[in-house]
Amino acid sequence: PITPGELLCLGSSLAFSGLFYYMYRKKAKVVARIQEAPKLQVDDDLPALVSVAEGRCLPYVALEGIVLPAQAALTSHYHEGLQGVIQKLLLKEHRLIWNSLARSW
């Protein structure tokens, strides 16, 4: 005989397993899209390619080439001699709307 507590544990275990599998598959699709991203060179043709793209944006691309940091290059704590730069930081502010019921923005 199976007790109600065992059924509850089994049901919650199955529910959590399903949720985590769904999240895993969703992230696996994103990783696959990133790995299949076209590799482009940083050269004079890149601005023209971006300007003809839909929405003037390339969703997933890997840029290859030499870039110069604006200030200091970022160095890796784990791999000696490995450096990187942050090309652009985008901050998007959303419009706030006053909610009179909750009396908050």
Side-chain angles (χ1 to χ4, degrees):
I2 299 175
T3 64
E6 290 173 339
L7 283 176
L8 179 66
C9 290
L10 178 65
S12 62
S13 175
L14 288 175
F16 279 121
S17 294
L19 174 68
F20 292 141
Y21 183 72
Y22 168 75
M23 291 169 48
Y24 164 76
R25 295 296 301 160
K26 190 174 177 181
K27 296 299 177 183
K29 288 179 184 177
V30 172
V31 169
R33 283 185 62 195
I34 291 173
Q35 288 178 343
E36 295 171 356
K39 294 180 180 172
L40 304 175
Q41 294 292 325
V42 177
D43 56 6
D44 295 334
D45 298 334
L46 187 60
L49 184 64
V50 172
S51 66
V52 298
E54 181 181 336
R56 297 179 51 104
C57 178
L58 301 172
Y60 288 112
V61 294
L63 293 177
E64 296 177 341
I66 298 174
V67 295
L68 299 173
Q71 295 174 355
L74 302 172
T75 57
S76 174
H77 295 287
Y78 304 106
H79 299 284
E80 189 174 320
L82 188 65
Q83 294 183 338
V85 296
I86 297 176
Q87 183 179 2
K88 185 177 181 181
L89 178 65
L90 178 66
L91 175 64
K92 183 176 181 180
E93 294 185 23
H94 297 281
R95 189 177 82 178
L96 296 176
I97 299 174
W98 175 255
N99 185 347
S100 62
L101 184 62
R103 295 182 177 249
S104 66
W105 286 98

